[in-house]
Amino acid sequence: MPAAMRRLVNLIIVFVLLLAPVPAPATAQTDPVAALLNAMTPAEKVGQLFLVTFYGPATDEASDIARLITDYHVGGVVLLTANNNLTNTENTPQQILNLTHHLQAAALTASQTPRETAEGQAVNPNLPPYIPLFIGMAQDEFSQIVPGLTELPDAMAIGATWSPVQAEALGTLAGQELAALGINLYFGPALDVLDTPRPQGPGDLSTRVLGGDPFWVGVIGQALIRGLHGGSANRLAVVAKHFPGYGSADRDPDEEVPTVSKSLEQLEQIELAPFFSVTGLAPDSASATDALLTAHIRFRGFQGDLRDSTNPVSFDPQALGQLLGLEPLKTWRDTGGLTISDSLGVPALKRFPAYLPFNNRRIARDAFNAGNDILFLSEFDDDNPRLEQTETIIDTLAHFTQQYETQPDFAAKVDAAVTRSLTLKLKLYDGQFTAEGAQVADAGLATLGQGAETVATLAQSAATLIFPSLGELNTRQPQPPLQDDRVVVFTDVRAGERLCSECPASPRVEKRELERAIVERYGPNGSGEIRPTNLQSFSLDDLAVYLDSPTTPPGEGTPTPEPSPVEAALNQADWLVFNLLNPTPNVPNANRLTQFLARRPDLVSNAKIIVFSYSAPYYLDATDLSKLTAFYTLYSDSPVFVDVAAQLLFRELTPLGDAPVSVQSINYNLIEITAPDPNQSILLVADQAQAQKGDTLQLTAGPLRDHNGHIVPDQTPVRFLAKFGEDLPVLIGEASTVNGIATTTFTLSQIGPVEISADSEPAFQSVKLQLDVQENTASIITEIVPPTSTASVTPAPTNTPSPTPSPTITPTPTIAPTPTPEPPNRVQDRDFFMMCLGLIAAVAVGYQLATLGASNGETPPTRRVRVALFGAIGVLLGYNYFALGLPGADWAAPFGLLAPTIWVLIGAGMGLGLGWYWFVRRHPT
């Protein structure tokens, strides 16, 4: 028997013995979720199905939200700036923490208020169980408008780094800050896949998406979720949205229910793939989302009939059930995965024909019956005065309670949904609900707003040069602005979101923000590269006024008017810099750059024109780009990203990011970009340095890189080829990549020279493995690097750490090193046979030995088993100590063939002695 096999058998025996069941007293186990369910009334269970919103900041006992929590036991609350839940911009974090404290206190009050008795009530009329609230905040609400918190970037900026490491760091930052505010439910990340951008069209998601490649959206999504969990110490439930994906939506989903014409197979390949990645295919529990937010979107051709459209998926039991029944999602669902509906009061639903006129009971019931465990009620009224939302919610709760009490099937669905919800809440609170556990200390506020360095690093990594190439830019702009150069900046100045209706709306990018960043870094107090007096800043509105001014010369006798400040600046400018946001129909001057480029070719040819987009990269067309010196995309408009723009302008920073979506104007097709780079030489290694006929080689190809130098998406096909002598190469194996690596096996079945290679269209060049196969003589496997390749491995880009490949082989493009030969066998088959006999003998002796010296009379079987097990373990340890050649093992070598047997006897004696002493003498009971 080979030595490796004997060792494997030994290890299996050891584990079997160690895991052998030993009788133990049975202990009663209590399921905390079942106990809570049994203690709840139907109304209390129904309350747990709902997440509600409220208007204004009031949370006192007389407020609507306190009433919903204490009297109707709603399971959660979502804070919205649009609802004036915050009152001003002073000490906003403290306001949020006070809100969460008061809301959780209301849930505690609900558990201290005796129930009213009711005839036929299934639960005794005592105190309700205490269940903390879900307190949620949406991704878009948190990212940019809460003073005192770290200003986080838009999703596409994260995607442009192509870096799971940076995504996790950002998620960790967000998780820390949210948890410090008492937020325990986070609506994000959005996992929509923007495979086909629609510039300025309906349904344009702009920078709200991570990207357009399903694999990378999933990888970055996993990292964000992992960071959110870790940063919050697992006190934050993550809700990935918008399942099954808005990436192909043809309408603004808030205003109208979009329709997507895709089959289920197409959805699995693109839209659903990221959701698979964070549910059943997540690499670990930390990377898995806790819940999915279901979107109000419908599909044509989803179930085969191209003319048939579903209802909104969030209301369609068949469609949503079919999606959630797909294996990756089913596994996640079976282990407690929660589903939450998107807001049931958005205008898109109120305008949907099937729900006209607005019927709160039907909308909520249909959404629940479709498969949503929790229903999100926001703007949940018939466009009546806002205060009527509370009464609408109460009516909905009463309807659900009545259904629970009269419809057994409905009651079973409620119990199942509440079980999922309570299970997740218990997970957030370490398995038990306490008033202290639900409160967050004020001390955590001191740690807020400390993530500027993390965001700055990400902003630098995300900055992308869209046009031209970096090499061409060095020709077009060989140096930054000089000290005497005049720089004119035009900025798309727009009001940002308001924290409350009475709060001031700060501009997203201020008119002079880039100018200030330039002066700070490169002015007199910085590097001294520019004179502040040579900088001028205007808005796009100023440019529009200039472009729309009459161009007719004044009549005879009429004095020529002074040129406008814009005209004067343009005529003297050496550099024209434009700061752009996304063009939208309600911002008419957003497209003024295109108009300026067409009307003033003289200025276009005389000045260098640099454009910074703080939005998506696909809004300018090819004609616009041809007139520019450079076009950069920053993806976010916070001051950190404006500072990066200043560094790019002065060529202090090399743009490291890559567009995570397709950009038609530069023929940047993401499908082609993420394919294997044809200029790389694929690294190919075997798992052994030499081989002979009959040996099976494990072949590893990769990591494969795409055109941007990133790991290719999983499931990229790789072919393995072998060339025998002068014959043409033949296919010997096919595999798909995982983290850029593909593996296969190949058995050497014929004698003679063989050359092994790999390719992955369109990358057809690889390291070649050559050997001369012999019958009984091992030949060295030689690695041959193609002469046209500068290196056998395309290096990873410096800005983005890619997913770590799973194989642990670290090959080099040289002749494979000769592995250290396995030491000669110290034991033979006869020794293994003797060990087995010793094992049987030790078990028999140990079973009897346990009766000797027993002080309490009769010996129980468990004590005999334990002593016998110790004897058996001693035999195995003694034998393996000698077989592995551990220190001192050779002292018995003079005994020759008896050496292994002597070690078996020594191990048996020590094991039996220790077992007898411990279980008979020391612990006789």
Side-chain angles (χ1 to χ4, degrees):
M1 177 182 295
M5 182 62 73
R6 287 196 296 270
R7 291 172 191 165
L8 178 61
V9 172
N10 293 342
L11 289 175
I12 292 173
I13 294 173
V14 169
F15 280 113
V16 169
L17 292 174
L18 288 174
L19 297 175
V22 177
T27 56
Q29 300 291 328
T30 302
D31 180 358
V33 175
L36 284 169
L37 277 176
N38 290 334
M40 297 169 71
T41 65
E44 291 161 4
K45 293 178 182 178
V46 164
Q48 292 297 312
L49 302 178
F50 293 91
L51 281 173
V52 302
T53 57
F54 64 103
Y55 299 104
T59 56
D60 56 84
E61 293 182 2
S63 65
D64 287 339
I65 188 58
R67 180 184 173 199
L68 289 172
I69 295 170
T70 56
D71 295 348
Y72 296 94
H73 305 275
V74 294
V77 179
V78 177
L79 305 181
L80 296 174
T81 56
N83 286 359
N84 284 332
N85 294 149
L86 304 175
T87 58
N88 56 64
T89 57
E90 296 181 7
N91 203 359
T92 308
Q94 185 68 62
Q95 291 184 58
I96 298 175
L97 184 58
N98 290 342
L99 272 175
T100 61
H101 280 171
H102 295 157
L103 293 170
Q104 294 291 12
L108 180 62
T109 299
S111 69
Q112 297 171 341
T113 305
R115 301 185 179 108
E116 296 181 4
T117 59
E119 185 176 353
Q121 189 169 328
V123 179
N124 292 329
N126 51 13
L127 294 177
Y130 169 58
I131 302 174
L133 297 169
F134 281 133
I135 300 182
M137 184 174 280
Q139 181 184 40
D140 300 335
E141 290 284 310
F142 174 70
S143 59
Q144 292 185 341
I145 61 173
V146 178
L149 303 183
T150 301
E151 194 165 352
L152 298 183
D154 289 342
M156 193 174 286
I158 306 171
T161 68
W162 300 71
S163 171
V165 174
Q166 294 198 54
E168 183 172 351
L170 195 76
T172 300
L173 173 62
Q176 290 171 342
E177 297 201 345
L178 286 166
L181 298 174
I183 303 298
N184 61 13
L185 188 70
Y186 181 58
F187 291 96
L191 299 182
D192 310 293
V193 179
L194 188 58
D195 61 332
T196 306
R198 287 170 296 281
Q200 306 179 48
D204 177 28
L205 297 177
S206 190
T207 54
R208 290 178 288 173
V209 297
L210 292 168
D213 181 82
F215 169 76
W216 280 102
V217 172
V219 168
I220 299 297
Q222 288 175 351
L224 284 167
I225 293 170
R226 193 162 54 246
L228 288 163
H229 282 149
S232 66
N234 294 312
R235 297 292 297 270
L236 182 69
V238 179
V239 186
K241 60 182 190 179
H242 307 87
F243 180 80
Y246 277 140
S248 299
D250 59 354
R251 294 289 188 277
D252 181 345
D254 288 334
E255 298 301 321
E256 186 176 358
V257 174
T259 301
V260 173
S261 299
K262 286 193 175 183
S263 66
L264 180 58
E265 181 181 2
Q266 291 172 316
L267 292 175
E268 289 185 75
Q269 293 174 349
I270 299 178
E271 278 83 351
L272 293 175
F275 294 101
F276 292 163
S277 297
V278 301
T279 53
L281 297 183
D284 49 57
S285 60
S287 307
T289 187
D290 300 291
L292 294 176
L293 187 79
T294 61
H296 306 317
I297 188 170
R298 58 179 180 168
F299 293 95
R300 178 178 293 116
F302 171 72
Q303 291 154 335
D305 187 346
L306 296 179
R307 298 183 179 180
D308 187 27
S309 296
T310 67
N311 285 322
V313 168
S314 47
F315 291 85
D316 192 320
Q318 183 178 358
L320 185 57
Q322 188 172 353
L323 292 174
L324 293 175
L326 296 173
E327 184 47 48
L329 293 168
K330 183 178 185 301
T331 299
W332 170 80
R333 193 88 167 113
D334 290 343
T335 54
L338 199 67
T339 51
I340 302 176
S341 77
D342 205 343
S343 171
L344 299 184
V346 292
L349 282 181
K350 293 176 180 177
R351 297 167 184 164
F352 192 68
Y355 293 108
L356 290 175
F358 178 81
N359 185 315
N360 60 290
R361 295 184 177 187
R362 183 186 172 194
I363 288 176
R365 188 179 66 245
D366 285 358
F368 178 69
N369 284 333
N372 293 290
D373 300 313
I374 294 180
L375 307 179
F376 177 22
L377 306 185
S378 177
E379 304 176 79
F380 198 61
D381 54 48
D382 191 13
D383 295 327
N384 287 321
R386 287 181 164 183
L387 291 178
E388 294 203 3
Q389 176 179 253
T390 301
E391 300 306 320
T392 306
I393 293 173
I394 291 173
D395 180 74
T396 306
L397 291 165
H399 174 66
F400 269 57
T401 302
Q402 184 269 335
Q403 292 287 298
Y404 184 99
E405 293 172 338
T406 60
Q407 302 290 334
D409 290 345
F410 189 84
K413 289 181 180 179
V414 171
D415 287 348
V418 175
T419 295
R420 295 179 188 276
S421 177
L422 293 178
T423 300
L424 179 54
K425 286 186 176 182
L426 283 167
K427 177 183 174 183
L428 299 180
Y429 293 104
D430 299 324
Q432 58 180 344
F433 296 145
T434 63
E436 296 78 12
Q439 295 292 334
V440 177
D442 288 13
L445 297 180
T447 65
L448 300 178
Q450 305 299 312
E453 183 176 348
T454 299
V455 177
T457 299
L458 185 142
Q460 293 174 358
S461 298
T464 305
L465 176 62
I466 300 298
F467 175 86
S469 66
L470 188 58
E472 186 178 349
L473 179 64
N474 292 331
T475 301
R476 291 178 174 227
Q477 186 195 342
Q479 58 189 8
L482 302 178
Q483 193 173 52
D484 293 329
D485 286 352
R486 302 190 69 85
V487 180
V488 179
V489 180
F490 291 95
T491 299
D492 187 351
V493 179
R494 303 185 199 174
E497 297 292 333
R498 296 177 183 269
L499 197 61
C500 62
S501 60
E502 301 300 322
C503 297
S506 300
R508 290 175 57 183
V509 181
E510 294 185 19
K511 181 167 68 174
R512 300 189 62 189
E513 193 166 336
L514 179 58
E515 178 184 338
R516 286 194 292 267
I518 292 172
V519 171
E520 182 178 346
R521 280 186 173 270
Y522 308 105
N525 295 326
S527 62
E529 296 177 57
I530 194 78
R531 290 192 179 99
T533 54
N534 287 344
L535 295 172
Q536 287 181 279
S537 297
F538 301 93
S539 69
L540 284 186
D541 291 341
D542 296 330
L543 180 63
V545 171
Y546 164 69
L547 292 174
D548 293 341
S549 298
T551 57
T552 304
E556 185 176 349
T558 303
T560 302
E562 290 291 327
S564 70
V566 171
E567 182 176 3
L570 288 172
N571 288 329
Q572 299 177 31
D574 299 295
W575 297 77
L576 297 176
V577 180
F578 290 84
N579 294 320
L580 304 182
L581 300 173
N582 59 309
T584 59
N586 59 342
V587 182
N589 290 329
N591 286 315
R592 287 295 184 165
L593 172 61
T594 298
Q595 186 179 1
F596 169 75
L597 294 174
R599 290 189 183 181
R600 294 302 306 266
D602 55 325
L603 295 175
V604 171
S605 60
N606 293 332
K608 289 182 171 57
I609 302 178
I610 310 296
V611 176
F612 296 108
S613 170
Y614 298 93
S615 185
Y618 46 69
Y619 295 116
L620 297 182
D621 61 26
T623 301
D624 291 334
L625 293 182
S626 68
K627 302 172 184 178
L628 306 180
T629 304
F631 174 43
Y632 297 91
T633 300
L634 286 307
Y635 308 99
S636 287
D637 55 39
S638 67
V640 171
F641 289 83
V642 177
D643 184 64
V644 170
Q647 296 176 63
L648 292 170
L649 177 63
F650 278 79
R651 303 300 300 273
E652 182 182 351
L653 182 69
T654 300
L656 300 175
D658 295 303
V661 293
S662 296
V663 183
Q664 183 178 359
S665 59
I666 58 172
N667 296 319
Y668 182 89
N669 186 307
L670 207 59
I671 295 177
E672 297 175 359
I673 291 297
T674 54
D677 182 2
N679 296 320
Q680 71 184 303
S681 177
I682 301 171
L683 185 60
L684 178 65
V685 296
D687 63 338
Q688 55 198 65
Q690 51 190 6
Q692 61 186 7
K693 181 181 178 182
D695 287 353
T696 298
L697 302 178
Q698 178 172 305
L699 303 173
T700 301
L704 272 71
R705 304 282 177 177
D706 66 15
H707 290 66
N708 286 330
H710 307 296
I711 293 291
V712 296
D714 282 359
Q715 304 306 310
T716 297
V718 176
R719 300 191 311 161
F720 294 85
L721 308 167
K723 179 182 177 183
F724 299 94
E726 298 300 322
D727 296 341
L728 294 175
V730 295
L731 183 68
I732 59 173
E734 291 183 289
S736 297
T737 60
V738 176
N739 289 335
I741 301 289
T743 61
T744 193
T745 58
F746 172 52
T747 301
L748 302 172
S749 59
Q750 65 184 68
I751 295 174
V754 61
E755 181 180 270
I756 304 170
S757 60
D759 65 35
S760 180
E761 189 177 0
F764 294 107
Q765 185 170 257
S766 79
V767 169
K768 293 179 172 60
L769 305 181
Q770 293 181 346
L771 74 158
D772 190 4
V773 182
Q774 300 298 322
E775 183 70 50
N776 294 313
T777 303
S779 299
I780 293 177
I781 301 175
T782 304
E783 294 182 2
I784 305 298
V785 179
T788 57
S789 175
T790 57
S792 61
V793 184
T794 303
T798 56
N799 59 312
T800 60
S802 295
T804 303
S806 53
T808 56
I809 303 170
T810 309
T812 57
T814 58
I815 296 177
T818 303
T820 302
E822 187 176 347
N825 294 337
R826 296 172 54 86
V827 291
Q828 305 299 323
D829 290 348
R830 61 177 176 271
D831 302 319
F832 183 75
F833 178 71
M834 292 301 297
M835 184 274 294
C836 292
L837 291 179
L839 196 64
I840 296 171
V843 170
V845 171
Y847 197 81
Q848 296 300 321
L849 185 63
T851 63
L852 300 180
S855 59
N856 57 347
E858 192 173 317
T859 304
T862 56
R863 189 183 307 162
R864 295 186 177 195
V865 170
R866 289 168 179 162
V867 175
L869 284 176
F870 264 66
I873 292 172
V875 168
L876 292 168
L877 291 177
Y879 175 79
N880 283 285
Y881 196 90
F882 175 81
L884 295 173
L886 298 177
D890 288 333
W891 74 267
F895 294 96
L897 298 178
L898 294 178
T901 304
I902 290 173
W903 274 102
V904 167
L905 294 175
I906 291 173
M910 293 179 66
L912 290 170
L914 182 61
W916 178 85
Y917 172 75
W918 188 260
F919 293 113
V920 178
R921 300 296 296 168
R922 186 77 181 271
H923 299 88
T925 58

Short mmCIF file of all heavy atoms in Angstrom, two decimals, residues 641-675:
data_model
loop_
_atom_site.label_atom_id
_atom_site.label_comp_id
_atom_site.label_asym_id
_atom_site.label_seq_id
_atom_site.Cartn_x
_atom_site.Cartn_y
_atom_site.Cartn_z
N PHE A 641 -13.73 64.88 -5.37
CA PHE A 641 -13.58 64.57 -6.79
C PHE A 641 -13.21 65.82 -7.59
O PHE A 641 -12.51 65.72 -8.60
CB PHE A 641 -14.86 63.93 -7.33
CG PHE A 641 -15.07 62.53 -6.83
CD1 PHE A 641 -15.65 62.31 -5.59
CD2 PHE A 641 -14.67 61.44 -7.57
CE1 PHE A 641 -15.83 61.02 -5.11
CE2 PHE A 641 -14.85 60.15 -7.10
CZ PHE A 641 -15.43 59.94 -5.87
N VAL A 642 -13.66 67.00 -7.15
CA VAL A 642 -13.24 68.24 -7.79
C VAL A 642 -11.75 68.46 -7.57
O VAL A 642 -11.03 68.91 -8.47
CB VAL A 642 -14.06 69.42 -7.25
CG1 VAL A 642 -13.57 70.74 -7.87
CG2 VAL A 642 -15.55 69.23 -7.56
N ASP A 643 -11.25 68.12 -6.40
CA ASP A 643 -9.83 68.24 -6.13
C ASP A 643 -9.02 67.31 -7.05
O ASP A 643 -7.94 67.68 -7.52
CB ASP A 643 -9.55 67.91 -4.66
CG ASP A 643 -8.10 68.12 -4.30
OD1 ASP A 643 -7.62 69.26 -4.36
OD2 ASP A 643 -7.43 67.12 -3.95
N VAL A 644 -9.55 66.12 -7.30
CA VAL A 644 -8.89 65.20 -8.23
C VAL A 644 -8.87 65.81 -9.63
O VAL A 644 -7.87 65.67 -10.36
CB VAL A 644 -9.60 63.84 -8.23
CG1 VAL A 644 -9.09 62.95 -9.37
CG2 VAL A 644 -9.38 63.12 -6.90
N ALA A 645 -9.93 66.51 -10.02
CA ALA A 645 -9.95 67.17 -11.33
C ALA A 645 -8.81 68.18 -11.44
O ALA A 645 -8.15 68.30 -12.48
CB ALA A 645 -11.30 67.84 -11.56
N ALA A 646 -8.56 68.94 -10.37
CA ALA A 646 -7.46 69.89 -10.38
C ALA A 646 -6.12 69.18 -10.58
O ALA A 646 -5.26 69.65 -11.34
CB ALA A 646 -7.45 70.68 -9.07
N GLN A 647 -5.94 68.06 -9.93
CA GLN A 647 -4.70 67.30 -10.09
C GLN A 647 -4.55 66.75 -11.50
O GLN A 647 -3.45 66.69 -12.04
CB GLN A 647 -4.67 66.16 -9.07
CG GLN A 647 -4.66 66.61 -7.62
CD GLN A 647 -4.73 65.44 -6.67
OE1 GLN A 647 -3.85 64.59 -6.63
NE2 GLN A 647 -5.81 65.38 -5.90
N LEU A 648 -5.66 66.35 -12.11
CA LEU A 648 -5.60 65.87 -13.49
C LEU A 648 -5.25 66.99 -14.45
O LEU A 648 -4.47 66.80 -15.40
CB LEU A 648 -6.94 65.24 -13.88
CG LEU A 648 -7.32 63.93 -13.18
CD1 LEU A 648 -8.77 63.57 -13.47
CD2 LEU A 648 -6.40 62.79 -13.61
N LEU A 649 -5.83 68.16 -14.23
CA LEU A 649 -5.55 69.30 -15.10
C LEU A 649 -4.07 69.65 -15.10
O LEU A 649 -3.49 69.95 -16.14
CB LEU A 649 -6.40 70.50 -14.67
CG LEU A 649 -6.17 71.79 -15.45
CD1 LEU A 649 -6.56 71.63 -16.91
CD2 LEU A 649 -6.97 72.94 -14.81
N PHE A 650 -3.45 69.58 -13.94
CA PHE A 650 -2.04 69.94 -13.81
C PHE A 650 -1.13 68.72 -13.95
O PHE A 650 0.06 68.80 -13.60
CB PHE A 650 -1.80 70.68 -12.51
CG PHE A 650 -2.16 72.14 -12.59
CD1 PHE A 650 -3.48 72.55 -12.51
CD2 PHE A 650 -1.18 73.09 -12.79
CE1 PHE A 650 -3.82 73.89 -12.62
CE2 PHE A 650 -1.50 74.44 -12.89
CZ PHE A 650 -2.83 74.85 -12.81
N ARG A 651 -1.68 67.64 -14.45
CA ARG A 651 -0.91 66.43 -14.78
C ARG A 651 -0.12 65.89 -13.58
O ARG A 651 0.91 65.25 -13.73
CB ARG A 651 0.02 66.66 -15.95
CG ARG A 651 -0.64 67.15 -17.23
CD ARG A 651 -1.67 66.20 -17.78
NE ARG A 651 -1.13 64.89 -18.09
CZ ARG A 651 -0.56 64.58 -19.26
NH1 ARG A 651 -0.46 65.51 -20.21
NH2 ARG A 651 -0.10 63.36 -19.48
N GLU A 652 -0.60 66.19 -12.38
CA GLU A 652 0.03 65.66 -11.17
C GLU A 652 -0.42 64.22 -10.91
O GLU A 652 0.27 63.46 -10.25
CB GLU A 652 -0.30 66.54 -9.96
CG GLU A 652 0.36 66.09 -8.68
CD GLU A 652 -0.03 66.95 -7.49
OE1 GLU A 652 -0.66 68.00 -7.67
OE2 GLU A 652 0.30 66.55 -6.35
N LEU A 653 -1.57 63.88 -11.45
CA LEU A 653 -2.18 62.58 -11.20
C LEU A 653 -2.41 61.87 -12.52
O LEU A 653 -2.94 62.46 -13.47
CB LEU A 653 -3.51 62.75 -10.45
CG LEU A 653 -4.28 61.49 -10.07
CD1 LEU A 653 -3.53 60.73 -9.00
CD2 LEU A 653 -5.68 61.87 -9.57
N THR A 654 -2.02 60.61 -12.59
CA THR A 654 -2.32 59.78 -13.76
C THR A 654 -3.68 59.13 -13.57
O THR A 654 -3.93 58.52 -12.53
CB THR A 654 -1.25 58.69 -13.94
OG1 THR A 654 0.02 59.31 -14.12
CG2 THR A 654 -1.56 57.82 -15.14
N PRO A 655 -4.58 59.27 -14.53
CA PRO A 655 -5.91 58.65 -14.37
C PRO A 655 -5.79 57.13 -14.35
O PRO A 655 -5.28 56.53 -15.29
CB PRO A 655 -6.69 59.14 -15.59
CG PRO A 655 -5.64 59.51 -16.60
CD PRO A 655 -4.45 59.98 -15.81
N LEU A 656 -6.27 56.52 -13.29
CA LEU A 656 -6.10 55.09 -13.09
C LEU A 656 -7.36 54.28 -13.35
O LEU A 656 -7.29 53.06 -13.46
CB LEU A 656 -5.64 54.83 -11.65
CG LEU A 656 -4.31 55.47 -11.23
CD1 LEU A 656 -4.05 55.23 -9.75
CD2 LEU A 656 -3.18 54.91 -12.07
N GLY A 657 -8.51 54.93 -13.42
CA GLY A 657 -9.77 54.20 -13.56
C GLY A 657 -10.05 53.78 -14.99
O GLY A 657 -9.40 54.23 -15.94
N ASP A 658 -11.02 52.90 -15.12
CA ASP A 658 -11.51 52.46 -16.42
C ASP A 658 -13.03 52.52 -16.39
O ASP A 658 -13.65 52.16 -15.37
CB ASP A 658 -11.06 51.03 -16.74
CG ASP A 658 -9.55 50.93 -16.90
OD1 ASP A 658 -9.01 51.64 -17.75
OD2 ASP A 658 -8.93 50.16 -16.15
N ALA A 659 -13.62 52.96 -17.47
CA ALA A 659 -15.08 53.08 -17.52
C ALA A 659 -15.73 51.73 -17.26
O ALA A 659 -15.41 50.75 -17.94
CB ALA A 659 -15.53 53.63 -18.87
N PRO A 660 -16.65 51.63 -16.29
CA PRO A 660 -17.31 50.36 -16.01
C PRO A 660 -18.56 50.12 -16.86
O PRO A 660 -19.27 49.15 -16.63
CB PRO A 660 -17.67 50.49 -14.53
CG PRO A 660 -17.91 51.94 -14.34
CD PRO A 660 -17.00 52.67 -15.29
N VAL A 661 -18.82 51.03 -17.81
CA VAL A 661 -19.96 50.88 -18.72
C VAL A 661 -19.48 51.15 -20.13
O VAL A 661 -18.41 51.74 -20.35
CB VAL A 661 -21.11 51.86 -18.36
CG1 VAL A 661 -21.75 51.50 -17.04
CG2 VAL A 661 -20.60 53.30 -18.35
N SER A 662 -20.26 50.73 -21.10
CA SER A 662 -19.92 50.97 -22.50
C SER A 662 -20.02 52.46 -22.82
O SER A 662 -20.89 53.17 -22.29
CB SER A 662 -20.84 50.18 -23.42
OG SER A 662 -20.67 48.79 -23.24
N VAL A 663 -19.13 52.94 -23.69
CA VAL A 663 -19.13 54.34 -24.14
C VAL A 663 -19.10 54.33 -25.66
O VAL A 663 -18.06 54.10 -26.28
CB VAL A 663 -17.92 55.11 -23.57
CG1 VAL A 663 -18.01 56.58 -23.99
CG2 VAL A 663 -17.86 54.99 -22.06
N GLN A 664 -20.24 54.58 -26.26
CA GLN A 664 -20.38 54.43 -27.71
C GLN A 664 -19.50 55.40 -28.47
O GLN A 664 -18.95 55.07 -29.52
CB GLN A 664 -21.84 54.62 -28.10
CG GLN A 664 -22.11 54.41 -29.59
CD GLN A 664 -23.58 54.56 -29.95
OE1 GLN A 664 -24.40 54.81 -29.07
NE2 GLN A 664 -23.90 54.42 -31.21
N SER A 665 -19.30 56.61 -27.96
CA SER A 665 -18.58 57.64 -28.70
C SER A 665 -17.12 57.28 -28.94
O SER A 665 -16.49 57.83 -29.87
CB SER A 665 -18.66 58.97 -27.96
OG SER A 665 -18.13 58.85 -26.66
N ILE A 666 -16.54 56.40 -28.16
CA ILE A 666 -15.15 55.98 -28.37
C ILE A 666 -15.07 54.49 -28.71
O ILE A 666 -14.00 53.89 -28.61
CB ILE A 666 -14.28 56.29 -27.14
CG1 ILE A 666 -14.83 55.58 -25.89
CG2 ILE A 666 -14.16 57.77 -26.91
CD1 ILE A 666 -13.90 55.68 -24.69
N ASN A 667 -16.22 53.90 -29.10
CA ASN A 667 -16.29 52.48 -29.46
C ASN A 667 -15.78 51.59 -28.32
O ASN A 667 -15.09 50.59 -28.55
CB ASN A 667 -15.48 52.20 -30.73
CG ASN A 667 -16.06 52.90 -31.94
OD1 ASN A 667 -17.28 52.95 -32.11
ND2 ASN A 667 -15.20 53.45 -32.78
N TYR A 668 -16.11 51.98 -27.13
CA TYR A 668 -15.71 51.22 -25.94
C TYR A 668 -16.86 50.30 -25.57
O TYR A 668 -17.82 50.70 -24.91
CB TYR A 668 -15.39 52.20 -24.81
CG TYR A 668 -14.91 51.61 -23.50
CD1 TYR A 668 -13.55 51.38 -23.27
CD2 TYR A 668 -15.80 51.33 -22.48
CE1 TYR A 668 -13.10 50.89 -22.05
CE2 TYR A 668 -15.35 50.82 -21.26
CZ TYR A 668 -14.01 50.61 -21.05
OH TYR A 668 -13.57 50.12 -19.83
N ASN A 669 -16.78 49.06 -26.04
CA ASN A 669 -17.83 48.07 -25.82
C ASN A 669 -17.40 47.17 -24.67
O ASN A 669 -16.40 46.47 -24.76
CB ASN A 669 -18.08 47.26 -27.08
CG ASN A 669 -19.26 46.32 -26.95
OD1 ASN A 669 -19.34 45.54 -26.02
ND2 ASN A 669 -20.18 46.41 -27.90
N LEU A 670 -18.17 47.15 -23.62
CA LEU A 670 -17.75 46.46 -22.41
C LEU A 670 -17.60 44.96 -22.62
O LEU A 670 -16.71 44.32 -22.02
CB LEU A 670 -18.75 46.72 -21.27
CG LEU A 670 -18.19 46.64 -19.86
CD1 LEU A 670 -17.06 47.63 -19.66
CD2 LEU A 670 -19.29 46.87 -18.83
N ILE A 671 -18.41 44.38 -23.48
CA ILE A 671 -18.28 42.95 -23.76
C ILE A 671 -16.92 42.65 -24.38
O ILE A 671 -16.25 41.69 -24.03
CB ILE A 671 -19.42 42.47 -24.68
CG1 ILE A 671 -20.77 42.58 -23.95
CG2 ILE A 671 -19.18 41.04 -25.14
CD1 ILE A 671 -21.95 42.19 -24.80
N GLU A 672 -16.50 43.50 -25.32
CA GLU A 672 -15.19 43.31 -25.94
C GLU A 672 -14.06 43.65 -24.98
O GLU A 672 -13.03 42.97 -24.95
CB GLU A 672 -15.09 44.18 -27.19
CG GLU A 672 -16.11 43.82 -28.27
CD GLU A 672 -16.05 44.79 -29.45
OE1 GLU A 672 -15.24 45.74 -29.39
OE2 GLU A 672 -16.83 44.59 -30.40
N ILE A 673 -14.25 44.68 -24.18
CA ILE A 673 -13.20 45.12 -23.26
C ILE A 673 -12.91 44.05 -22.21
O ILE A 673 -11.75 43.84 -21.81
CB ILE A 673 -13.60 46.45 -22.59
CG1 ILE A 673 -13.61 47.58 -23.61
CG2 ILE A 673 -12.67 46.78 -21.41
CD1 ILE A 673 -12.25 47.87 -24.21
N THR A 674 -13.93 43.37 -21.74
CA THR A 674 -13.73 42.37 -20.68
C THR A 674 -13.36 41.00 -21.24
O THR A 674 -13.19 40.05 -20.47
CB THR A 674 -15.00 42.25 -19.81
OG1 THR A 674 -16.14 41.97 -20.64
CG2 THR A 674 -15.25 43.53 -19.03
N ALA A 675 -13.24 40.89 -22.57
CA ALA A 675 -12.73 39.65 -23.16
C ALA A 675 -11.22 39.58 -22.94
O ALA A 675 -10.57 40.59 -22.68
CB ALA A 675 -13.07 39.61 -24.64
#
